Amino acid sequence: MQAHEIMNTHVYKVKETDTVRLVIEKFIEHRISGLPIVNERNEIVAYISDGDIMRYIGKHKDIILDTVYFVNVVKGDDEEFEERAKKILDLNVLSIAKKKVIKARWDEEIEYVAAILGEKQIKKLPVERNGVLVGIISRGDVIRHSFNAIL
């Protein structure tokens, strides 16, 4: 089975000229957590996820976690959370997105797609054909298509 056989062809995406505000609006409206970023030729140039946004708005310095992962001490960044959250809205998406995008070719075998999603610990994988975004595959897509006939 190949990627194009299970990929979702209705892909939510943003353009490289868009702001983080539009990304967050799409996250909320469509209940998603990541988007490919494309240029005017629909080529994938970056990927932005909820994790990229969390890294920007969270405090970064001297976070100490105890053995059960509760935050004990946070010091350093004095900018208020609300200020960081407001400041991110008007940033260009490329200023916080990942430029090295992990993606699959449309004819990639599903075993490879599953391995990448698992090993890289990512939720979705953009699919391209001839350098152009044509679909997206989620972990759920792989599970459904891999086990639906068996169960």
Side-chain angles (χ1 to χ4, degrees):
M1 186 176 296
Q2 295 182 330
H4 67 89
E5 296 176 78
I6 71 165
M7 71 183 187
N8 185 344
T9 57
H10 180 74
V11 182
Y12 298 113
K13 60 189 174 187
V14 290
K15 295 179 283 188
E16 62 187 342
T17 55
D18 287 331
T19 64
V20 175
R21 180 184 307 272
L22 180 61
V23 168
I24 293 171
E25 288 171 356
K26 285 188 179 235
F27 282 3
I28 292 167
E29 178 183 352
H30 302 295
R31 306 187 99 178
I32 56 176
S33 59
L35 292 165
I37 302 169
V38 297
N39 62 19
E40 66 280 349
R41 294 179 303 280
N42 206 38
E43 298 166 326
I44 306 164
V45 297
Y47 194 90
I48 188 163
S49 70
D50 53 1
D52 299 318
I53 294 169
M54 293 300 104
R55 278 186 288 283
Y56 186 91
I57 63 175
K59 288 195 177 211
H60 303 285
K61 299 177 184 173
D62 300 317
I63 298 176
I64 300 170
L65 301 175
D66 66 17
T67 56
V68 290
Y69 303 105
F70 290 110
V71 175
N72 286 331
V73 178
V74 178
K75 54 186 172 179
D77 190 354
D78 290 332
E79 187 176 37
E80 292 296 321
F81 176 80
E82 292 82 14
E83 292 171 23
R84 286 191 305 280
K86 285 179 186 174
K87 193 165 34 170
I88 195 174
L89 293 175
D90 295 320
L91 292 177
N92 176 274
V93 293
L94 294 178
S95 65
I96 66 168
K98 290 193 175 42
K99 314 295 186 300
K100 291 185 179 182
V101 182
I102 301 169
K103 49 195 168 187
R105 291 186 328 269
W106 82 290
D107 60 349
E108 200 71 65
E109 292 298 324
I110 202 64
E111 293 90 347
Y112 176 76
V113 171
I116 291 297
L117 287 167
E119 289 174 22
K120 297 296 183 181
Q121 298 181 353
I122 54 179
K123 298 175 188 174
K124 295 177 184 170
L125 195 59
V127 180
E128 66 179 10
R129 183 176 188 183
N130 299 322
V132 174
L133 176 67
V134 293
I136 197 154
I137 298 176
S138 70
R139 293 176 184 180
D141 295 330
V142 174
I143 297 291
R144 270 188 301 283
H145 287 86
S146 299
F147 296 100
N148 197 27
I150 299 171
L151 297 177

